[in-house]
PDB file of all heavy atoms in Angstrom:
ATOM      1  N   PRO A  20       3.818 -10.315   9.693  1.00  0.00           N
ATOM      2  CA  PRO A  20       2.814 -10.234  10.759  1.00  0.00           C
ATOM      3  C   PRO A  20       2.287  -8.831  11.052  1.00  0.00           C
ATOM      4  O   PRO A  20       1.516  -8.646  11.989  1.00  0.00           O
ATOM      5  CB  PRO A  20       3.553 -10.798  11.967  1.00  0.00           C
ATOM      6  CG  PRO A  20       4.980 -10.453  11.726  1.00  0.00           C
ATOM      7  CD  PRO A  20       5.154 -10.546  10.237  1.00  0.00           C
ATOM      8  N   TYR A  21       2.694  -7.843  10.282  1.00  0.00           N
ATOM      9  CA  TYR A  21       2.281  -6.477  10.557  1.00  0.00           C
ATOM     10  C   TYR A  21       0.882  -6.202  10.010  1.00  0.00           C
ATOM     11  O   TYR A  21       0.421  -6.872   9.099  1.00  0.00           O
ATOM     12  CB  TYR A  21       3.311  -5.487  10.000  1.00  0.00           C
ATOM     13  CG  TYR A  21       4.579  -5.546  10.812  1.00  0.00           C
ATOM     14  CD1 TYR A  21       5.661  -6.310  10.406  1.00  0.00           C
ATOM     15  CD2 TYR A  21       4.668  -4.888  12.032  1.00  0.00           C
ATOM     16  CE1 TYR A  21       6.805  -6.407  11.177  1.00  0.00           C
ATOM     17  CE2 TYR A  21       5.803  -4.976  12.808  1.00  0.00           C
ATOM     18  CZ  TYR A  21       6.870  -5.735  12.383  1.00  0.00           C
ATOM     19  OH  TYR A  21       7.987  -5.833  13.160  1.00  0.00           O
ATOM     20  N   PRO A  22       0.205  -5.190  10.557  1.00  0.00           N
ATOM     21  CA  PRO A  22      -1.145  -4.881  10.080  1.00  0.00           C
ATOM     22  C   PRO A  22      -1.143  -4.432   8.618  1.00  0.00           C
ATOM     23  O   PRO A  22      -0.223  -3.768   8.160  1.00  0.00           O
ATOM     24  CB  PRO A  22      -1.620  -3.760  10.998  1.00  0.00           C
ATOM     25  CG  PRO A  22      -0.553  -3.491  11.963  1.00  0.00           C
ATOM     26  CD  PRO A  22       0.623  -4.327  11.654  1.00  0.00           C
ATOM     27  N   SER A  23      -2.188  -4.769   7.931  1.00  0.00           N
ATOM     28  CA  SER A  23      -2.343  -4.450   6.525  1.00  0.00           C
ATOM     29  C   SER A  23      -2.183  -2.950   6.261  1.00  0.00           C
ATOM     30  O   SER A  23      -1.520  -2.538   5.311  1.00  0.00           O
ATOM     31  CB  SER A  23      -3.720  -4.932   6.067  1.00  0.00           C
ATOM     32  OG  SER A  23      -3.968  -4.561   4.756  1.00  0.00           O
ATOM     33  N   LYS A  24      -2.795  -2.121   7.082  1.00  0.00           N
ATOM     34  CA  LYS A  24      -2.730  -0.660   6.869  1.00  0.00           C
ATOM     35  C   LYS A  24      -1.309  -0.123   7.061  1.00  0.00           C
ATOM     36  O   LYS A  24      -0.917   0.861   6.438  1.00  0.00           O
ATOM     37  CB  LYS A  24      -3.698   0.081   7.794  1.00  0.00           C
ATOM     38  CG  LYS A  24      -5.115   0.050   7.300  1.00  0.00           C
ATOM     39  CD  LYS A  24      -5.242   0.809   5.991  1.00  0.00           C
ATOM     40  CE  LYS A  24      -6.659   0.906   5.517  1.00  0.00           C
ATOM     41  NZ  LYS A  24      -6.774   1.542   4.209  1.00  0.00           N
ATOM     42  N   PHE A  25      -0.531  -0.766   7.912  1.00  0.00           N
ATOM     43  CA  PHE A  25       0.874  -0.401   8.100  1.00  0.00           C
ATOM     44  C   PHE A  25       1.639  -0.627   6.794  1.00  0.00           C
ATOM     45  O   PHE A  25       2.356   0.253   6.321  1.00  0.00           O
ATOM     46  CB  PHE A  25       1.462  -1.234   9.238  1.00  0.00           C
ATOM     47  CG  PHE A  25       2.926  -1.047   9.487  1.00  0.00           C
ATOM     48  CD1 PHE A  25       3.410   0.116  10.079  1.00  0.00           C
ATOM     49  CD2 PHE A  25       3.828  -2.051   9.181  1.00  0.00           C
ATOM     50  CE1 PHE A  25       4.766   0.281  10.336  1.00  0.00           C
ATOM     51  CE2 PHE A  25       5.180  -1.906   9.437  1.00  0.00           C
ATOM     52  CZ  PHE A  25       5.651  -0.725  10.013  1.00  0.00           C
ATOM     53  N   ASP A  26       1.464  -1.817   6.199  1.00  0.00           N
ATOM     54  CA  ASP A  26       2.116  -2.116   4.927  1.00  0.00           C
ATOM     55  C   ASP A  26       1.685  -1.130   3.845  1.00  0.00           C
ATOM     56  O   ASP A  26       2.502  -0.634   3.082  1.00  0.00           O
ATOM     57  CB  ASP A  26       1.778  -3.536   4.472  1.00  0.00           C
ATOM     58  CG  ASP A  26       2.419  -4.610   5.341  1.00  0.00           C
ATOM     59  OD1 ASP A  26       3.317  -4.298   6.134  1.00  0.00           O
ATOM     60  OD2 ASP A  26       2.008  -5.780   5.213  1.00  0.00           O
ATOM     61  N   GLU A  27       0.397  -0.840   3.802  1.00  0.00           N
ATOM     62  CA  GLU A  27      -0.121   0.108   2.814  1.00  0.00           C
ATOM     63  C   GLU A  27       0.534   1.487   2.977  1.00  0.00           C
ATOM     64  O   GLU A  27       0.866   2.146   1.995  1.00  0.00           O
ATOM     65  CB  GLU A  27      -1.637   0.219   2.944  1.00  0.00           C
ATOM     66  CG  GLU A  27      -2.281   1.066   1.878  1.00  0.00           C
ATOM     67  CD  GLU A  27      -3.790   1.145   2.023  1.00  0.00           C
ATOM     68  OE1 GLU A  27      -4.415   0.196   2.541  1.00  0.00           O
ATOM     69  OE2 GLU A  27      -4.344   2.176   1.605  1.00  0.00           O
ATOM     70  N   GLY A  28       0.740   1.905   4.229  1.00  0.00           N
ATOM     71  CA  GLY A  28       1.396   3.191   4.490  1.00  0.00           C
ATOM     72  C   GLY A  28       2.832   3.220   4.005  1.00  0.00           C
ATOM     73  O   GLY A  28       3.279   4.201   3.408  1.00  0.00           O
ATOM     74  N   ILE A  29       3.572   2.142   4.252  1.00  0.00           N
ATOM     75  CA  ILE A  29       4.972   2.069   3.793  1.00  0.00           C
ATOM     76  C   ILE A  29       5.022   2.153   2.272  1.00  0.00           C
ATOM     77  O   ILE A  29       5.779   2.954   1.704  1.00  0.00           O
ATOM     78  CB  ILE A  29       5.642   0.759   4.267  1.00  0.00           C
ATOM     79  CG1 ILE A  29       5.757   0.707   5.789  1.00  0.00           C
ATOM     80  CG2 ILE A  29       7.036   0.619   3.632  1.00  0.00           C
ATOM     81  CD1 ILE A  29       6.177  -0.656   6.335  1.00  0.00           C
ATOM     82  N   ILE A  30       4.228   1.330   1.611  1.00  0.00           N
ATOM     83  CA  ILE A  30       4.231   1.298   0.143  1.00  0.00           C
ATOM     84  C   ILE A  30       3.815   2.657  -0.417  1.00  0.00           C
ATOM     85  O   ILE A  30       4.456   3.185  -1.338  1.00  0.00           O
ATOM     86  CB  ILE A  30       3.305   0.178  -0.374  1.00  0.00           C
ATOM     87  CG1 ILE A  30       3.829  -1.195   0.061  1.00  0.00           C
ATOM     88  CG2 ILE A  30       3.164   0.250  -1.900  1.00  0.00           C
ATOM     89  CD1 ILE A  30       2.817  -2.322  -0.085  1.00  0.00           C
ATOM     90  N   THR A  31       2.776   3.250   0.140  1.00  0.00           N
ATOM     91  CA  THR A  31       2.293   4.549  -0.332  1.00  0.00           C
ATOM     92  C   THR A  31       3.385   5.610  -0.233  1.00  0.00           C
ATOM     93  O   THR A  31       3.595   6.388  -1.178  1.00  0.00           O
ATOM     94  CB  THR A  31       1.050   4.984   0.470  1.00  0.00           C
ATOM     95  OG1 THR A  31       0.005   4.030   0.242  1.00  0.00           O
ATOM     96  CG2 THR A  31       0.568   6.368   0.065  1.00  0.00           C
ATOM     97  N   GLN A  32       4.107   5.645   0.869  1.00  0.00           N
ATOM     98  CA  GLN A  32       5.152   6.662   1.043  1.00  0.00           C
ATOM     99  C   GLN A  32       6.303   6.464   0.060  1.00  0.00           C
ATOM    100  O   GLN A  32       6.838   7.434  -0.477  1.00  0.00           O
ATOM    101  CB  GLN A  32       5.659   6.680   2.486  1.00  0.00           C
ATOM    102  CG  GLN A  32       6.510   7.881   2.807  1.00  0.00           C
ATOM    103  CD  GLN A  32       5.771   9.206   2.664  1.00  0.00           C
ATOM    104  OE1 GLN A  32       4.549   9.275   2.671  1.00  0.00           O
ATOM    105  NE2 GLN A  32       6.520  10.277   2.508  1.00  0.00           N
ATOM    106  N   ILE A  33       6.677   5.223  -0.179  1.00  0.00           N
ATOM    107  CA  ILE A  33       7.740   4.951  -1.165  1.00  0.00           C
ATOM    108  C   ILE A  33       7.284   5.422  -2.555  1.00  0.00           C
ATOM    109  O   ILE A  33       8.040   6.083  -3.274  1.00  0.00           O
ATOM    110  CB  ILE A  33       8.097   3.444  -1.192  1.00  0.00           C
ATOM    111  CG1 ILE A  33       8.859   3.052   0.073  1.00  0.00           C
ATOM    112  CG2 ILE A  33       8.892   3.078  -2.453  1.00  0.00           C
ATOM    113  CD1 ILE A  33      10.273   3.567   0.183  1.00  0.00           C
ATOM    114  N   VAL A  34       6.042   5.099  -2.916  1.00  0.00           N
ATOM    115  CA  VAL A  34       5.535   5.521  -4.233  1.00  0.00           C
ATOM    116  C   VAL A  34       5.499   7.046  -4.310  1.00  0.00           C
ATOM    117  O   VAL A  34       5.938   7.635  -5.305  1.00  0.00           O
ATOM    118  CB  VAL A  34       4.152   4.899  -4.534  1.00  0.00           C
ATOM    119  CG1 VAL A  34       3.578   5.436  -5.843  1.00  0.00           C
ATOM    120  CG2 VAL A  34       4.247   3.375  -4.594  1.00  0.00           C
ATOM    121  N   ARG A  35       5.018   7.702  -3.273  1.00  0.00           N
ATOM    122  CA  ARG A  35       4.958   9.183  -3.283  1.00  0.00           C
ATOM    123  C   ARG A  35       6.337   9.796  -3.451  1.00  0.00           C
ATOM    124  O   ARG A  35       6.506  10.781  -4.164  1.00  0.00           O
ATOM    125  CB  ARG A  35       4.342   9.694  -1.977  1.00  0.00           C
ATOM    126  CG  ARG A  35       2.864   9.582  -1.952  1.00  0.00           C
ATOM    127  CD  ARG A  35       2.258  10.181  -0.712  1.00  0.00           C
ATOM    128  NE  ARG A  35       0.817   9.950  -0.758  1.00  0.00           N
ATOM    129  CZ  ARG A  35       0.007  10.072   0.261  1.00  0.00           C
ATOM    130  NH1 ARG A  35       0.475  10.423   1.444  1.00  0.00           N
ATOM    131  NH2 ARG A  35      -1.275   9.834   0.124  1.00  0.00           N
ATOM    132  N   LYS A  36       7.307   9.217  -2.786  1.00  0.00           N
ATOM    133  CA  LYS A  36       8.651   9.791  -2.801  1.00  0.00           C
ATOM    134  C   LYS A  36       9.396   9.546  -4.115  1.00  0.00           C
ATOM    135  O   LYS A  36      10.179  10.384  -4.548  1.00  0.00           O
ATOM    136  CB  LYS A  36       9.454   9.238  -1.625  1.00  0.00           C
ATOM    137  CG  LYS A  36      10.776   9.901  -1.452  1.00  0.00           C
ATOM    138  CD  LYS A  36      11.399   9.583  -0.125  1.00  0.00           C
ATOM    139  CE  LYS A  36      12.728  10.309  -0.058  1.00  0.00           C
ATOM    140  NZ  LYS A  36      13.249  10.477   1.216  1.00  0.00           N
ATOM    141  N   PHE A  37       9.144   8.405  -4.768  1.00  0.00           N
ATOM    142  CA  PHE A  37       9.964   8.027  -5.922  1.00  0.00           C
ATOM    143  C   PHE A  37       9.216   7.923  -7.252  1.00  0.00           C
ATOM    144  O   PHE A  37       9.815   7.578  -8.265  1.00  0.00           O
ATOM    145  CB  PHE A  37      10.688   6.701  -5.620  1.00  0.00           C
ATOM    146  CG  PHE A  37      11.666   6.836  -4.499  1.00  0.00           C
ATOM    147  CD1 PHE A  37      11.348   6.396  -3.224  1.00  0.00           C
ATOM    148  CD2 PHE A  37      12.901   7.444  -4.702  1.00  0.00           C
ATOM    149  CE1 PHE A  37      12.239   6.537  -2.171  1.00  0.00           C
ATOM    150  CE2 PHE A  37      13.799   7.588  -3.659  1.00  0.00           C
ATOM    151  CZ  PHE A  37      13.469   7.139  -2.390  1.00  0.00           C
ATOM    152  N   LYS A  38       7.940   8.257  -7.288  1.00  0.00           N
ATOM    153  CA  LYS A  38       7.186   8.205  -8.551  1.00  0.00           C
ATOM    154  C   LYS A  38       7.654   9.332  -9.467  1.00  0.00           C
ATOM    155  O   LYS A  38       8.239  10.321  -9.018  1.00  0.00           O
ATOM    156  CB  LYS A  38       5.687   8.326  -8.271  1.00  0.00           C
ATOM    157  CG  LYS A  38       5.282   9.679  -7.714  1.00  0.00           C
ATOM    158  CD  LYS A  38       3.801   9.715  -7.400  1.00  0.00           C
ATOM    159  CE  LYS A  38       3.464  10.903  -6.596  1.00  0.00           C
ATOM    160  NZ  LYS A  38       3.019  12.063  -7.060  1.00  0.00           N
ATOM    161  N   PRO A  39       7.390   9.204 -10.750  1.00  0.00           N
ATOM    162  CA  PRO A  39       7.756  10.270 -11.681  1.00  0.00           C
ATOM    163  C   PRO A  39       7.018  11.565 -11.333  1.00  0.00           C
ATOM    164  O   PRO A  39       5.862  11.524 -10.880  1.00  0.00           O
ATOM    165  CB  PRO A  39       7.295   9.742 -13.046  1.00  0.00           C
ATOM    166  CG  PRO A  39       7.171   8.263 -12.872  1.00  0.00           C
ATOM    167  CD  PRO A  39       6.815   8.040 -11.435  1.00  0.00           C
ATOM    168  N   PRO A  40       7.656  12.711 -11.553  1.00  0.00           N
ATOM    169  CA  PRO A  40       7.006  13.991 -11.265  1.00  0.00           C
ATOM    170  C   PRO A  40       5.689  14.129 -12.027  1.00  0.00           C
ATOM    171  O   PRO A  40       5.573  13.715 -13.176  1.00  0.00           O
ATOM    172  CB  PRO A  40       8.025  15.028 -11.759  1.00  0.00           C
ATOM    173  CG  PRO A  40       9.322  14.313 -11.813  1.00  0.00           C
ATOM    174  CD  PRO A  40       9.009  12.870 -12.073  1.00  0.00           C
ATOM    175  N   GLY A  41       4.699  14.679 -11.355  1.00  0.00           N
ATOM    176  CA  GLY A  41       3.409  14.931 -11.975  1.00  0.00           C
ATOM    177  C   GLY A  41       2.452  13.756 -11.968  1.00  0.00           C
ATOM    178  O   GLY A  41       1.297  13.906 -12.348  1.00  0.00           O
ATOM    179  N   SER A  42       2.907  12.595 -11.555  1.00  0.00           N
ATOM    180  CA  SER A  42       1.997  11.441 -11.527  1.00  0.00           C
ATOM    181  C   SER A  42       1.370  11.320 -10.141  1.00  0.00           C
ATOM    182  O   SER A  42       1.886  11.833  -9.163  1.00  0.00           O
ATOM    183  CB  SER A  42       2.744  10.157 -11.896  1.00  0.00           C
ATOM    184  OG  SER A  42       3.765   9.890 -10.971  1.00  0.00           O
ATOM    185  N   ARG A  43       0.239  10.643 -10.089  1.00  0.00           N
ATOM    186  CA  ARG A  43      -0.463  10.424  -8.820  1.00  0.00           C
ATOM    187  C   ARG A  43      -0.308   8.971  -8.424  1.00  0.00           C
ATOM    188  O   ARG A  43      -0.245   8.098  -9.285  1.00  0.00           O
ATOM    189  CB  ARG A  43      -1.943  10.746  -8.956  1.00  0.00           C
ATOM    190  CG  ARG A  43      -2.200  12.195  -9.237  1.00  0.00           C
ATOM    191  CD  ARG A  43      -3.674  12.442  -9.349  1.00  0.00           C
ATOM    192  NE  ARG A  43      -3.885  13.857  -9.608  1.00  0.00           N
ATOM    193  CZ  ARG A  43      -4.887  14.528  -9.130  1.00  0.00           C
ATOM    194  NH1 ARG A  43      -5.794  13.948  -8.390  1.00  0.00           N
ATOM    195  NH2 ARG A  43      -5.008  15.804  -9.399  1.00  0.00           N
ATOM    196  N   GLU A  44      -0.286   8.726  -7.135  1.00  0.00           N
ATOM    197  CA  GLU A  44      -0.157   7.346  -6.686  1.00  0.00           C
ATOM    198  C   GLU A  44      -1.500   6.793  -6.238  1.00  0.00           C
ATOM    199  O   GLU A  44      -2.365   7.533  -5.791  1.00  0.00           O
ATOM    200  CB  GLU A  44       0.861   7.238  -5.540  1.00  0.00           C
ATOM    201  CG  GLU A  44       0.365   7.647  -4.190  1.00  0.00           C
ATOM    202  CD  GLU A  44       0.314   9.146  -3.970  1.00  0.00           C
ATOM    203  OE1 GLU A  44       0.953   9.919  -4.694  1.00  0.00           O
ATOM    204  OE2 GLU A  44      -0.392   9.547  -3.037  1.00  0.00           O
ATOM    205  N   ASN A  45      -1.639   5.486  -6.408  1.00  0.00           N
ATOM    206  CA  ASN A  45      -2.809   4.778  -5.919  1.00  0.00           C
ATOM    207  C   ASN A  45      -2.337   3.406  -5.448  1.00  0.00           C
ATOM    208  O   ASN A  45      -1.822   2.615  -6.245  1.00  0.00           O
ATOM    209  CB  ASN A  45      -3.862   4.647  -7.020  1.00  0.00           C
ATOM    210  CG  ASN A  45      -5.145   4.031  -6.506  1.00  0.00           C
ATOM    211  OD1 ASN A  45      -5.468   4.144  -5.329  1.00  0.00           O
ATOM    212  ND2 ASN A  45      -5.870   3.369  -7.379  1.00  0.00           N
ATOM    213  N   VAL A  46      -2.478   3.164  -4.163  1.00  0.00           N
ATOM    214  CA  VAL A  46      -2.092   1.879  -3.567  1.00  0.00           C
ATOM    215  C   VAL A  46      -3.349   1.310  -2.925  1.00  0.00           C
ATOM    216  O   VAL A  46      -3.918   1.925  -2.037  1.00  0.00           O
ATOM    217  CB  VAL A  46      -0.975   2.046  -2.522  1.00  0.00           C
ATOM    218  CG1 VAL A  46      -0.648   0.716  -1.855  1.00  0.00           C
ATOM    219  CG2 VAL A  46       0.267   2.679  -3.147  1.00  0.00           C
ATOM    220  N   THR A  47      -3.779   0.133  -3.403  1.00  0.00           N
ATOM    221  CA  THR A  47      -4.996  -0.464  -2.858  1.00  0.00           C
ATOM    222  C   THR A  47      -4.773  -1.934  -2.540  1.00  0.00           C
ATOM    223  O   THR A  47      -4.051  -2.645  -3.256  1.00  0.00           O
ATOM    224  CB  THR A  47      -6.187  -0.339  -3.829  1.00  0.00           C
ATOM    225  OG1 THR A  47      -5.832  -0.927  -5.074  1.00  0.00           O
ATOM    226  CG2 THR A  47      -6.585   1.097  -4.045  1.00  0.00           C
ATOM    227  N   LEU A  48      -5.403  -2.357  -1.481  1.00  0.00           N
ATOM    228  CA  LEU A  48      -5.406  -3.764  -1.112  1.00  0.00           C
ATOM    229  C   LEU A  48      -6.285  -4.504  -2.111  1.00  0.00           C
ATOM    230  O   LEU A  48      -7.423  -4.105  -2.355  1.00  0.00           O
ATOM    231  CB  LEU A  48      -5.960  -3.916   0.310  1.00  0.00           C
ATOM    232  CG  LEU A  48      -6.092  -5.334   0.855  1.00  0.00           C
ATOM    233  CD1 LEU A  48      -4.731  -6.009   0.962  1.00  0.00           C
ATOM    234  CD2 LEU A  48      -6.768  -5.292   2.217  1.00  0.00           C
ATOM    235  N   ASP A  49      -5.755  -5.567  -2.696  1.00  0.00           N
ATOM    236  CA  ASP A  49      -6.518  -6.368  -3.653  1.00  0.00           C
ATOM    237  C   ASP A  49      -7.476  -7.256  -2.867  1.00  0.00           C
ATOM    238  O   ASP A  49      -7.093  -8.301  -2.349  1.00  0.00           O
ATOM    239  CB  ASP A  49      -5.572  -7.209  -4.510  1.00  0.00           C
ATOM    240  CG  ASP A  49      -6.294  -7.995  -5.586  1.00  0.00           C
ATOM    241  OD1 ASP A  49      -7.545  -8.001  -5.595  1.00  0.00           O
ATOM    242  OD2 ASP A  49      -5.599  -8.607  -6.424  1.00  0.00           O
ATOM    243  N   GLU A  50      -8.716  -6.820  -2.777  1.00  0.00           N
ATOM    244  CA  GLU A  50      -9.708  -7.548  -1.990  1.00  0.00           C
ATOM    245  C   GLU A  50     -10.318  -8.719  -2.747  1.00  0.00           C
ATOM    246  O   GLU A  50     -11.132  -9.451  -2.193  1.00  0.00           O
ATOM    247  CB  GLU A  50     -10.771  -6.583  -1.468  1.00  0.00           C
ATOM    248  CG  GLU A  50     -10.169  -5.602  -0.482  1.00  0.00           C
ATOM    249  CD  GLU A  50     -11.184  -4.745   0.227  1.00  0.00           C
ATOM    250  OE1 GLU A  50     -12.388  -5.047   0.160  1.00  0.00           O
ATOM    251  OE2 GLU A  50     -10.754  -3.774   0.863  1.00  0.00           O
ATOM    252  N   SER A  51      -9.890  -8.924  -3.995  1.00  0.00           N
ATOM    253  CA  SER A  51     -10.363 -10.101  -4.735  1.00  0.00           C
ATOM    254  C   SER A  51      -9.598 -11.354  -4.295  1.00  0.00           C
ATOM    255  O   SER A  51      -9.973 -12.460  -4.640  1.00  0.00           O
ATOM    256  CB  SER A  51     -10.197  -9.890  -6.243  1.00  0.00           C
ATOM    257  OG  SER A  51      -8.823  -9.927  -6.617  1.00  0.00           O
ATOM    258  N   LYS A  52      -8.527 -11.145  -3.526  1.00  0.00           N
ATOM    259  CA  LYS A  52      -7.734 -12.262  -3.012  1.00  0.00           C
ATOM    260  C   LYS A  52      -7.842 -12.285  -1.493  1.00  0.00           C
ATOM    261  O   LYS A  52      -7.993 -11.243  -0.857  1.00  0.00           O
ATOM    262  CB  LYS A  52      -6.269 -12.108  -3.422  1.00  0.00           C
ATOM    263  CG  LYS A  52      -6.085 -12.118  -4.919  1.00  0.00           C
ATOM    264  CD  LYS A  52      -4.625 -12.034  -5.287  1.00  0.00           C
ATOM    265  CE  LYS A  52      -4.487 -11.810  -6.740  1.00  0.00           C
ATOM    266  NZ  LYS A  52      -4.101 -12.661  -7.625  1.00  0.00           N
ATOM    267  N   THR A  53      -7.757 -13.470  -0.935  1.00  0.00           N
ATOM    268  CA  THR A  53      -7.759 -13.580   0.522  1.00  0.00           C
ATOM    269  C   THR A  53      -6.574 -12.805   1.066  1.00  0.00           C
ATOM    270  O   THR A  53      -5.473 -12.881   0.524  1.00  0.00           O
ATOM    271  CB  THR A  53      -7.665 -15.062   0.948  1.00  0.00           C
ATOM    272  OG1 THR A  53      -8.758 -15.762   0.359  1.00  0.00           O
ATOM    273  CG2 THR A  53      -7.746 -15.201   2.441  1.00  0.00           C
ATOM    274  N   ASN A  54      -6.798 -12.026   2.106  1.00  0.00           N
ATOM    275  CA  ASN A  54      -5.718 -11.237   2.680  1.00  0.00           C
ATOM    276  C   ASN A  54      -5.692 -11.404   4.194  1.00  0.00           C
ATOM    277  O   ASN A  54      -6.539 -12.081   4.773  1.00  0.00           O
ATOM    278  CB  ASN A  54      -5.855  -9.774   2.255  1.00  0.00           C
ATOM    279  CG  ASN A  54      -7.163  -9.161   2.694  1.00  0.00           C
ATOM    280  OD1 ASN A  54      -7.425  -9.037   3.887  1.00  0.00           O
ATOM    281  ND2 ASN A  54      -8.015  -8.802   1.743  1.00  0.00           N
ATOM    282  N   ARG A  55      -4.710 -10.807   4.833  1.00  0.00           N
ATOM    283  CA  ARG A  55      -4.536 -10.971   6.280  1.00  0.00           C
ATOM    284  C   ARG A  55      -5.723 -10.422   7.064  1.00  0.00           C
ATOM    285  O   ARG A  55      -6.017 -10.914   8.142  1.00  0.00           O
ATOM    286  CB  ARG A  55      -3.233 -10.319   6.743  1.00  0.00           C
ATOM    287  CG  ARG A  55      -2.009 -11.076   6.280  1.00  0.00           C
ATOM    288  CD  ARG A  55      -0.726 -10.573   6.928  1.00  0.00           C
ATOM    289  NE  ARG A  55      -0.622  -9.150   7.028  1.00  0.00           N
ATOM    290  CZ  ARG A  55       0.104  -8.378   6.215  1.00  0.00           C
ATOM    291  NH1 ARG A  55       0.782  -8.907   5.224  1.00  0.00           N
ATOM    292  NH2 ARG A  55       0.152  -7.086   6.391  1.00  0.00           N
ATOM    293  N   THR A  56      -6.410  -9.416   6.539  1.00  0.00           N
ATOM    294  CA  THR A  56      -7.575  -8.890   7.261  1.00  0.00           C
ATOM    295  C   THR A  56      -8.712  -9.901   7.283  1.00  0.00           C
ATOM    296  O   THR A  56      -9.619  -9.795   8.102  1.00  0.00           O
ATOM    297  CB  THR A  56      -8.070  -7.556   6.647  1.00  0.00           C
ATOM    298  OG1 THR A  56      -8.528  -7.802   5.324  1.00  0.00           O
ATOM    299  CG2 THR A  56      -6.967  -6.509   6.640  1.00  0.00           C
ATOM    300  N   MET A  57      -8.643 -10.890   6.380  1.00  0.00           N
ATOM    301  CA  MET A  57      -9.645 -11.965   6.318  1.00  0.00           C
ATOM    302  C   MET A  57      -9.106 -13.265   6.908  1.00  0.00           C
ATOM    303  O   MET A  57      -9.702 -14.316   6.732  1.00  0.00           O
ATOM    304  CB  MET A  57     -10.027 -12.242   4.856  1.00  0.00           C
ATOM    305  CG  MET A  57     -10.555 -11.099   4.079  1.00  0.00           C
ATOM    306  SD  MET A  57     -10.664 -11.663   2.350  1.00  0.00           S
ATOM    307  CE  MET A  57     -11.397 -10.247   1.592  1.00  0.00           C
ATOM    308  N   GLY A  58      -7.937 -13.201   7.535  1.00  0.00           N
ATOM    309  CA  GLY A  58      -7.329 -14.402   8.100  1.00  0.00           C
ATOM    310  C   GLY A  58      -6.374 -15.101   7.155  1.00  0.00           C
ATOM    311  O   GLY A  58      -5.884 -16.195   7.462  1.00  0.00           O
ATOM    312  N   GLY A  59      -6.067 -14.500   6.007  1.00  0.00           N
ATOM    313  CA  GLY A  59      -5.129 -15.082   5.051  1.00  0.00           C
ATOM    314  C   GLY A  59      -3.688 -14.907   5.490  1.00  0.00           C
ATOM    315  O   GLY A  59      -3.401 -14.293   6.521  1.00  0.00           O
TER     316      GLY A  59
END
């Protein structure tokens, strides 16, 4: 039930902290699928 941007923040921070050195992270909401921001 949490806001979409909250989940995105958690995932982004985990990726930033544990990704391989020198790599960049990209976390995006898949808008091709119904999501909670659309009532999913």
